[in-house]
Amino acid sequence: MSFIAKLAKIIEDSRIEYQSLQSGSFFVSEKVRDGANLLAHGDNALFMKYLMEKQQLSGKINLVYIDPPFFSKANYGTEVKLSSEKIKKIPAIKQKAYHDLWEDGMEEYLRMLTVRFFLIKDLLAEEGCLWVHLDWHSVHYVKVILDEIFGEKNFINEIIWTYKSGGVSKNYFARKHDNLLFYAKSPKYYFQAQQEKSYNRDFKPYRFKGVKEYKDETGWYTMVNMKDVWQINMVGRTSAERTGYATQKPEQLIERILESCTKEGDLCADFFGGSGTLAAAADKMKRRWISCDIGKLAVANAHKRLVQGSRNGYLLLVDEKSRNGQGVLQVEAKTEPSDISDKLELTVEVKSYKPDSLAEVPVDEKYIPIVRNIIKNDSLQLVDYWSIDFDYDGIEYIPDLFFCKNGPAIPFTCRRTAAEFHKIGIMVIDVFGNRSFTVIDLEGEL
Ligand SMILES: C[S@@+](CC[C@H](N)C(=O)[O-])C[C@H]1O[C@@H](n2cnc3c(N)ncnc32)[C@H](O)[C@@H]1O
């Protein structure tokens, strides 16, 4: 069968899969600040069903941006660099973030995406839109599928995002752009045109009647409606927004999309959220957001980024598989009368941590002895984030304090003064994205 004939079958098979999908179960792992937004760990198809059935969000999302795997046939990883006073020199550990390999090739890949396009369409508001971020590997097939699902007339733009980074080849022109397909849910879609500089020929003034001209260090220019080719740098090695997550996209790119297609207060979602770039940009721009990723490392990266940087709060949701955590914590908590008041002073110290098993550590066999050595001699080096709820009610974990490793050191002791203490909850996320939670009941002690 030719691939063109197969496309029709891919769409029909995906429609059947979409129609028979059941909602996944998602549980609140942490409530950060007001818990108004959602960061989810799990498969996005099950999560989208959950949003429709449990959160009644059908027809409510104003913008969906997705940056799925590109059918690049590659594995993506990150490097963990740890240092310890107790271990001489720890070699960098390469860990797996996600893979973009498809046993049944392009058909399997397109089926995966097509099922999700149906779900996204259900979630979008009438004025809403979908942005699909791809590159040359699959964009031309995906365009045909999206024309079928969203309607050719609702195709609005193909944005070419061009950048300088990445490799080159002697055999073809350097591939220096990604393709972003922009579809509206309906002709009522919201759009706010943006303006950009257009430099005059020879950078000299034209002095046309009625045309406003400006000058900067490059030369004279006018302001025109933004074109569909965008030159934006990739996230550089030293950039403040760099999380270290493979394939992280620049916030500037997402800001432009949000500026054009949403208003303050609108709800935006990214169902292949990675390190949480859409969430971070949406939060800064006062949009509400939802971000989901299937990878624990992605969600850990996004959580660390958002817990520190986001103005608004969110619920960290986890699927059934990750509900019980994947590590073991040893924590010591002591209360004593405070020196300065008639209250109690609580001191909490995280003493040690280890993943449940080495199966939870997504690294190649050759790195396992290094990880074992760290667990044995300085296990706290594996902790990337920890948080504490001084008044855990046994139901909702709402951290009062959180600590993120941004450099080599992170404190493992904290104190709090209060008239009484009941239960405290402590959450740890390790450098591999494993979560562990423990509760200490202080009532017996008082
Ligand atoms: C290209 S990356 C996204 C990068 C992101 N835009 C950023 O700026 O960090 C694609 C992501 O899709 C995730 N992913 C792949 N299949 C998924 C699925 N079925 N459900 C949720 N996430 C998925 C991968 O784990 C990966 O993090």
Side-chain angles (χ1 to χ4, degrees), residues 42-44 67-69 98 116 245 247-249 271-275 277 293-295 298:
D43 175 74
N44 51 17
D67 171 26
Y98 71 96
R116 281 139 183 101
Y245 191 71
T247 66
Q248 178 187 351
K249 301 302 181 296
F271 295 111
F272 292 84
S275 60
T277 307
D293 201 286
I294 200 165

PDB file of all heavy atoms in Angstrom, residues 42-44 67-69 98 116 245 247-249 271-275 277 293-295 298, ligand 1:
ATOM      1  N   GLY A  42       2.443  11.837  33.333  1.00  0.00           N
ATOM      2  CA  GLY A  42       1.703  10.684  32.831  1.00  0.00           C
ATOM      3  C   GLY A  42       1.531  10.790  31.327  1.00  0.00           C
ATOM      4  O   GLY A  42       1.971  11.766  30.704  1.00  0.00           O
ATOM      5  N   ASP A  43       0.892   9.794  30.743  1.00  0.00           N
ATOM      6  CA  ASP A  43       0.659   9.810  29.302  1.00  0.00           C
ATOM      7  C   ASP A  43      -0.379  10.891  28.968  1.00  0.00           C
ATOM      8  O   ASP A  43      -1.437  10.976  29.606  1.00  0.00           O
ATOM      9  CB  ASP A  43       0.151   8.442  28.830  1.00  0.00           C
ATOM     10  CG  ASP A  43      -0.208   8.497  27.370  1.00  0.00           C
ATOM     11  OD1 ASP A  43       0.718   8.539  26.551  1.00  0.00           O
ATOM     12  OD2 ASP A  43      -1.408   8.550  27.050  1.00  0.00           O
ATOM     13  N   ASN A  44      -0.075  11.677  27.940  1.00  0.00           N
ATOM     14  CA  ASN A  44      -0.935  12.829  27.657  1.00  0.00           C
ATOM     15  C   ASN A  44      -2.330  12.455  27.117  1.00  0.00           C
ATOM     16  O   ASN A  44      -3.286  13.204  27.334  1.00  0.00           O
ATOM     17  CB  ASN A  44      -0.224  13.828  26.742  1.00  0.00           C
ATOM     18  CG  ASN A  44       0.351  13.172  25.511  1.00  0.00           C
ATOM     19  OD1 ASN A  44      -0.023  12.053  25.161  1.00  0.00           O
ATOM     20  ND2 ASN A  44       1.264  13.859  24.842  1.00  0.00           N
ATOM     21  N   ASP A  67       5.088  20.292  21.344  1.00  0.00           N
ATOM     22  CA  ASP A  67       6.428  20.117  20.781  1.00  0.00           C
ATOM     23  C   ASP A  67       6.767  18.641  20.991  1.00  0.00           C
ATOM     24  O   ASP A  67       7.525  18.283  21.873  1.00  0.00           O
ATOM     25  CB  ASP A  67       7.374  21.054  21.558  1.00  0.00           C
ATOM     26  CG  ASP A  67       8.829  20.848  21.241  1.00  0.00           C
ATOM     27  OD1 ASP A  67       9.132  20.386  20.129  1.00  0.00           O
ATOM     28  OD2 ASP A  67       9.668  21.158  22.115  1.00  0.00           O
ATOM     29  N   PRO A  68       6.140  17.764  20.190  1.00  0.00           N
ATOM     30  CA  PRO A  68       6.318  16.320  20.422  1.00  0.00           C
ATOM     31  C   PRO A  68       7.678  15.859  19.894  1.00  0.00           C
ATOM     32  O   PRO A  68       8.381  16.637  19.237  1.00  0.00           O
ATOM     33  CB  PRO A  68       5.193  15.710  19.593  1.00  0.00           C
ATOM     34  CG  PRO A  68       4.941  16.680  18.499  1.00  0.00           C
ATOM     35  CD  PRO A  68       5.270  18.045  19.035  1.00  0.00           C
ATOM     36  N   PRO A  69       8.052  14.597  20.142  1.00  0.00           N
ATOM     37  CA  PRO A  69       9.219  14.067  19.450  1.00  0.00           C
ATOM     38  C   PRO A  69       9.016  14.269  17.940  1.00  0.00           C
ATOM     39  O   PRO A  69       7.882  14.245  17.449  1.00  0.00           O
ATOM     40  CB  PRO A  69       9.187  12.581  19.825  1.00  0.00           C
ATOM     41  CG  PRO A  69       8.439  12.537  21.134  1.00  0.00           C
ATOM     42  CD  PRO A  69       7.416  13.623  21.044  1.00  0.00           C
ATOM     43  N   TYR A  98      14.221  10.913  27.145  1.00  0.00           N
ATOM     44  CA  TYR A  98      13.122  10.306  26.376  1.00  0.00           C
ATOM     45  C   TYR A  98      13.669   9.808  25.048  1.00  0.00           C
ATOM     46  O   TYR A  98      14.763  10.169  24.644  1.00  0.00           O
ATOM     47  CB  TYR A  98      11.974  11.289  26.162  1.00  0.00           C
ATOM     48  CG  TYR A  98      12.234  12.425  25.203  1.00  0.00           C
ATOM     49  CD1 TYR A  98      11.850  12.352  23.879  1.00  0.00           C
ATOM     50  CD2 TYR A  98      12.860  13.593  25.636  1.00  0.00           C
ATOM     51  CE1 TYR A  98      12.079  13.391  23.001  1.00  0.00           C
ATOM     52  CE2 TYR A  98      13.090  14.651  24.762  1.00  0.00           C
ATOM     53  CZ  TYR A  98      12.698  14.546  23.445  1.00  0.00           C
ATOM     54  OH  TYR A  98      12.926  15.568  22.568  1.00  0.00           O
ATOM     55  N   ARG A 116      -3.970  12.076  19.520  1.00  0.00           N
ATOM     56  CA  ARG A 116      -3.888  13.266  20.382  1.00  0.00           C
ATOM     57  C   ARG A 116      -4.503  14.500  19.700  1.00  0.00           C
ATOM     58  O   ARG A 116      -5.072  15.349  20.374  1.00  0.00           O
ATOM     59  CB  ARG A 116      -2.431  13.492  20.798  1.00  0.00           C
ATOM     60  CG  ARG A 116      -2.075  12.516  21.937  1.00  0.00           C
ATOM     61  CD  ARG A 116      -0.748  11.890  21.858  1.00  0.00           C
ATOM     62  NE  ARG A 116      -0.556  10.936  22.945  1.00  0.00           N
ATOM     63  CZ  ARG A 116      -0.671   9.615  22.835  1.00  0.00           C
ATOM     64  NH1 ARG A 116      -1.010   9.064  21.678  1.00  0.00           N
ATOM     65  NH2 ARG A 116      -0.481   8.830  23.875  1.00  0.00           N
ATOM     66  N   TYR A 245      17.509  20.294  30.217  1.00  0.00           N
ATOM     67  CA  TYR A 245      16.668  19.265  29.601  1.00  0.00           C
ATOM     68  C   TYR A 245      16.879  19.295  28.080  1.00  0.00           C
ATOM     69  O   TYR A 245      16.818  20.363  27.460  1.00  0.00           O
ATOM     70  CB  TYR A 245      15.193  19.507  29.941  1.00  0.00           C
ATOM     71  CG  TYR A 245      14.319  18.337  29.556  1.00  0.00           C
ATOM     72  CD1 TYR A 245      14.386  17.151  30.273  1.00  0.00           C
ATOM     73  CD2 TYR A 245      13.450  18.408  28.475  1.00  0.00           C
ATOM     74  CE1 TYR A 245      13.612  16.058  29.910  1.00  0.00           C
ATOM     75  CE2 TYR A 245      12.664  17.326  28.110  1.00  0.00           C
ATOM     76  CZ  TYR A 245      12.755  16.152  28.837  1.00  0.00           C
ATOM     77  OH  TYR A 245      11.988  15.071  28.484  1.00  0.00           O
ATOM     78  N   THR A 247      16.398  19.266  24.220  1.00  0.00           N
ATOM     79  CA  THR A 247      15.370  19.828  23.325  1.00  0.00           C
ATOM     80  C   THR A 247      14.506  20.919  23.959  1.00  0.00           C
ATOM     81  O   THR A 247      13.386  21.177  23.499  1.00  0.00           O
ATOM     82  CB  THR A 247      14.458  18.736  22.696  1.00  0.00           C
ATOM     83  OG1 THR A 247      13.681  18.104  23.731  1.00  0.00           O
ATOM     84  CG2 THR A 247      15.225  17.694  21.936  1.00  0.00           C
ATOM     85  N   GLN A 248      15.019  21.573  24.990  1.00  0.00           N
ATOM     86  CA  GLN A 248      14.292  22.703  25.601  1.00  0.00           C
ATOM     87  C   GLN A 248      14.155  23.837  24.568  1.00  0.00           C
ATOM     88  O   GLN A 248      15.110  24.178  23.878  1.00  0.00           O
ATOM     89  CB  GLN A 248      15.085  23.210  26.813  1.00  0.00           C
ATOM     90  CG  GLN A 248      14.443  24.415  27.488  1.00  0.00           C
ATOM     91  CD  GLN A 248      15.330  25.019  28.588  1.00  0.00           C
ATOM     92  OE1 GLN A 248      16.351  24.445  28.966  1.00  0.00           O
ATOM     93  NE2 GLN A 248      14.930  26.170  29.081  1.00  0.00           N
ATOM     94  N   LYS A 249      12.955  24.425  24.481  1.00  0.00           N
ATOM     95  CA  LYS A 249      12.729  25.503  23.525  1.00  0.00           C
ATOM     96  C   LYS A 249      12.812  26.868  24.227  1.00  0.00           C
ATOM     97  O   LYS A 249      12.542  26.960  25.428  1.00  0.00           O
ATOM     98  CB  LYS A 249      11.346  25.354  22.866  1.00  0.00           C
ATOM     99  CG  LYS A 249      11.169  24.040  22.116  1.00  0.00           C
ATOM    100  CD  LYS A 249      12.196  23.829  21.034  1.00  0.00           C
ATOM    101  CE  LYS A 249      12.050  22.545  20.251  1.00  0.00           C
ATOM    102  NZ  LYS A 249      12.219  21.315  20.998  1.00  0.00           N
ATOM    103  N   PHE A 271       0.972  19.530  26.012  1.00  0.00           N
ATOM    104  CA  PHE A 271       0.838  18.125  26.415  1.00  0.00           C
ATOM    105  C   PHE A 271       2.108  17.304  26.158  1.00  0.00           C
ATOM    106  O   PHE A 271       2.114  16.105  26.388  1.00  0.00           O
ATOM    107  CB  PHE A 271      -0.383  17.509  25.732  1.00  0.00           C
ATOM    108  CG  PHE A 271      -1.660  18.162  26.190  1.00  0.00           C
ATOM    109  CD1 PHE A 271      -2.414  18.966  25.344  1.00  0.00           C
ATOM    110  CD2 PHE A 271      -2.085  18.000  27.501  1.00  0.00           C
ATOM    111  CE1 PHE A 271      -3.577  19.578  25.783  1.00  0.00           C
ATOM    112  CE2 PHE A 271      -3.248  18.612  27.960  1.00  0.00           C
ATOM    113  CZ  PHE A 271      -3.996  19.402  27.100  1.00  0.00           C
ATOM    114  N   PHE A 272       3.143  17.945  25.630  1.00  0.00           N
ATOM    115  CA  PHE A 272       4.469  17.317  25.527  1.00  0.00           C
ATOM    116  C   PHE A 272       5.420  18.304  26.208  1.00  0.00           C
ATOM    117  O   PHE A 272       6.361  18.799  25.601  1.00  0.00           O
ATOM    118  CB  PHE A 272       4.856  17.095  24.068  1.00  0.00           C
ATOM    119  CG  PHE A 272       4.024  16.061  23.342  1.00  0.00           C
ATOM    120  CD1 PHE A 272       2.795  16.405  22.763  1.00  0.00           C
ATOM    121  CD2 PHE A 272       4.462  14.747  23.225  1.00  0.00           C
ATOM    122  CE1 PHE A 272       2.034  15.467  22.081  1.00  0.00           C
ATOM    123  CE2 PHE A 272       3.713  13.797  22.543  1.00  0.00           C
ATOM    124  CZ  PHE A 272       2.493  14.153  21.976  1.00  0.00           C
ATOM    125  N   GLY A 273       5.143  18.593  27.461  1.00  0.00           N
ATOM    126  CA  GLY A 273       5.661  19.783  28.138  1.00  0.00           C
ATOM    127  C   GLY A 273       7.143  19.828  28.421  1.00  0.00           C
ATOM    128  O   GLY A 273       7.686  20.903  28.678  1.00  0.00           O
ATOM    129  N   GLY A 274       7.863  18.704  28.413  1.00  0.00           N
ATOM    130  CA  GLY A 274       9.302  18.712  28.672  1.00  0.00           C
ATOM    131  C   GLY A 274       9.626  19.476  29.935  1.00  0.00           C
ATOM    132  O   GLY A 274       9.028  19.252  31.001  1.00  0.00           O
ATOM    133  N   SER A 275      10.535  20.434  29.812  1.00  0.00           N
ATOM    134  CA  SER A 275      11.005  21.175  30.985  1.00  0.00           C
ATOM    135  C   SER A 275      10.064  22.314  31.381  1.00  0.00           C
ATOM    136  O   SER A 275      10.427  23.147  32.204  1.00  0.00           O
ATOM    137  CB  SER A 275      12.393  21.719  30.711  1.00  0.00           C
ATOM    138  OG  SER A 275      12.328  22.592  29.590  1.00  0.00           O
ATOM    139  N   THR A 277       8.510  24.819  29.385  1.00  0.00           N
ATOM    140  CA  THR A 277       8.740  26.145  28.782  1.00  0.00           C
ATOM    141  C   THR A 277       7.430  26.909  28.592  1.00  0.00           C
ATOM    142  O   THR A 277       7.349  28.095  28.911  1.00  0.00           O
ATOM    143  CB  THR A 277       9.482  26.001  27.434  1.00  0.00           C
ATOM    144  OG1 THR A 277      10.653  25.225  27.670  1.00  0.00           O
ATOM    145  CG2 THR A 277       9.860  27.346  26.858  1.00  0.00           C
ATOM    146  N   ASP A 293       3.834  15.739  30.937  1.00  0.00           N
ATOM    147  CA  ASP A 293       4.884  14.966  30.266  1.00  0.00           C
ATOM    148  C   ASP A 293       4.898  13.565  30.847  1.00  0.00           C
ATOM    149  O   ASP A 293       4.611  13.359  32.033  1.00  0.00           O
ATOM    150  CB  ASP A 293       6.256  15.618  30.436  1.00  0.00           C
ATOM    151  CG  ASP A 293       7.232  15.153  29.347  1.00  0.00           C
ATOM    152  OD1 ASP A 293       7.703  13.994  29.415  1.00  0.00           O
ATOM    153  OD2 ASP A 293       7.501  15.937  28.412  1.00  0.00           O
ATOM    154  N   ILE A 294       5.262  12.614  30.002  1.00  0.00           N
ATOM    155  CA  ILE A 294       5.290  11.211  30.427  1.00  0.00           C
ATOM    156  C   ILE A 294       6.591  10.872  31.165  1.00  0.00           C
ATOM    157  O   ILE A 294       6.653   9.887  31.897  1.00  0.00           O
ATOM    158  CB  ILE A 294       5.095  10.293  29.198  1.00  0.00           C
ATOM    159  CG1 ILE A 294       4.641   8.910  29.613  1.00  0.00           C
ATOM    160  CG2 ILE A 294       6.351  10.224  28.334  1.00  0.00           C
ATOM    161  CD1 ILE A 294       4.080   8.085  28.463  1.00  0.00           C
ATOM    162  N   GLY A 295       7.610  11.699  30.991  1.00  0.00           N
ATOM    163  CA  GLY A 295       8.924  11.397  31.564  1.00  0.00           C
ATOM    164  C   GLY A 295       9.097  11.995  32.951  1.00  0.00           C
ATOM    165  O   GLY A 295       8.813  13.180  33.151  1.00  0.00           O
ATOM    166  N   ALA A 298      11.557  14.916  32.892  1.00  0.00           N
ATOM    167  CA  ALA A 298      10.966  16.142  32.342  1.00  0.00           C
ATOM    168  C   ALA A 298      10.153  16.842  33.423  1.00  0.00           C
ATOM    169  O   ALA A 298      10.300  18.048  33.654  1.00  0.00           O
ATOM    170  CB  ALA A 298      10.071  15.796  31.153  1.00  0.00           C
TER     171      ALA A 298
HETATM  172  C1  LIG B   1      10.689  17.815  22.337  1.00  0.00           C
HETATM  173  S1  LIG B   1      10.376  17.407  23.986  1.00  0.00           S
HETATM  174  C2  LIG B   1       9.544  18.835  24.608  1.00  0.00           C
HETATM  175  C3  LIG B   1      10.490  19.913  25.045  1.00  0.00           C
HETATM  176  C4  LIG B   1       9.776  21.126  25.631  1.00  0.00           C
HETATM  177  N1  LIG B   1       9.102  21.894  24.610  1.00  0.00           N
HETATM  178  C5  LIG B   1      10.733  22.031  26.382  1.00  0.00           C
HETATM  179  O1  LIG B   1      10.861  23.226  26.047  1.00  0.00           O
HETATM  180  O2  LIG B   1      11.388  21.551  27.319  1.00  0.00           O
HETATM  181  C6  LIG B   1       9.091  16.212  23.833  1.00  0.00           C
HETATM  182  C7  LIG B   1       8.563  15.689  25.129  1.00  0.00           C
HETATM  183  O3  LIG B   1       7.430  14.867  24.878  1.00  0.00           O
HETATM  184  C8  LIG B   1       7.349  13.919  25.916  1.00  0.00           C
HETATM  185  N2  LIG B   1       6.411  12.846  25.525  1.00  0.00           N
HETATM  186  C9  LIG B   1       6.570  11.897  24.574  1.00  0.00           C
HETATM  187  N3  LIG B   1       5.485  11.102  24.507  1.00  0.00           N
HETATM  188  C10 LIG B   1       4.599  11.556  25.448  1.00  0.00           C
HETATM  189  C11 LIG B   1       3.300  11.141  25.882  1.00  0.00           C
HETATM  190  N4  LIG B   1       2.689  10.100  25.313  1.00  0.00           N
HETATM  191  N5  LIG B   1       2.691  11.823  26.886  1.00  0.00           N
HETATM  192  C12 LIG B   1       3.316  12.903  27.454  1.00  0.00           C
HETATM  193  N6  LIG B   1       4.559  13.334  27.092  1.00  0.00           N
HETATM  194  C13 LIG B   1       5.188  12.681  26.091  1.00  0.00           C
HETATM  195  C14 LIG B   1       8.794  13.483  26.114  1.00  0.00           C
HETATM  196  O4  LIG B   1       9.001  12.884  27.380  1.00  0.00           O
HETATM  197  C15 LIG B   1       9.535  14.815  25.933  1.00  0.00           C
HETATM  198  O5  LIG B   1       9.811  15.428  27.158  1.00  0.00           O
END
